[in-house]
Amino acid sequence: MAGNTHDLPPVILAGGDGADAAIARTLAGDGKLPVLDRLLSNGASGHLAGYAPFSCPMLWTTVATGKLPPHHGIHGWRTVRNGYAVWAGPRDRKA
């Protein structure tokens, strides 16, 4: 059946938190990161635009949910719950 997800090739999403893509590509091309070089040569890659301010929990939640921060509810490391500043966690995510 056309469009069956079982017919699609597997997808690997790899992200480097704080990594510089230009440096990683240079190192891969120089043979210092051979696995990354193979992934770049045989797969697809691209630059993702960030969502300022750059905050790891906000960005990775956006990647995981496909929703922007106003829709998933994670805006940083901490959130306000019951009037207290607490570490943001999965129960704070709206998506």
Side-chain angles (χ1 to χ4, degrees):
M1 166 162 87
N4 187 337
T5 57
H6 297 288
D7 298 332
L8 298 174
V11 173
I12 296 173
L13 173 65
D17 204 349
D20 185 311
I23 293 172
R25 286 179 185 278
T26 299
L27 291 171
D30 290 346
K32 296 187 172 146
L33 298 172
V35 174
L36 180 61
D37 188 45
R38 282 195 305 276
L39 286 171
L40 293 171
S41 297
N42 299 314
S45 65
H47 177 77
L48 296 176
Y51 193 89
F54 300 114
S55 168
C56 296
M58 178 179 62
L59 295 174
W60 285 114
T61 302
T62 300
V63 169
T65 64
K67 306 226 180 272
L68 293 174
H71 301 285
H72 63 58
I74 302 297
H75 299 276
W77 293 101
R78 299 181 58 81
T79 190
V80 176
R81 195 179 314 127
N82 299 324
Y84 295 95
V86 296
W87 293 109
R91 72 181 188 178
D92 299 303
R93 194 168 37 237
K94 296 186 276 186

